[in-house]
Amino acid sequence: MTASPVTAAVFTGRPVHELVRRHARATPDAVAVTGEGRGVSYRDLLRRADAVAGVLRAAGGVGRHN
């Protein structure tokens, strides 16, 4: 059994988003989340998260150093 990125974060003390990104690079087509009978791969999860981050950065004041 492989630990999830969230479980790994508890043991390593690393930020969850770093571990999720690392897990996504290793297994991009694995199911990251499920709901209402559908699953989203790590590849799609990161694509969507990056899109949201881009919108927030474009809105101003939101970024890696804020």
Side-chain angles (χ1 to χ4, degrees), residues 12-60:
T12 65
R14 301 198 58 136
V16 173
H17 71 278
E18 288 180 8
L19 297 171
V20 169
R21 192 166 291 279
R22 184 184 323 168
H23 193 75
R25 282 194 298 268
T27 59
D29 296 320
V31 176
V33 294
T34 60
E36 297 182 8
R38 298 182 345 163
V40 176
S41 70
Y42 278 96
R43 180 187 326 271
D44 287 341
L45 178 67
L46 286 185
R47 182 184 55 79
R48 293 175 188 191
D50 288 343
V52 169
V55 169
L56 293 173
R57 279 193 297 275

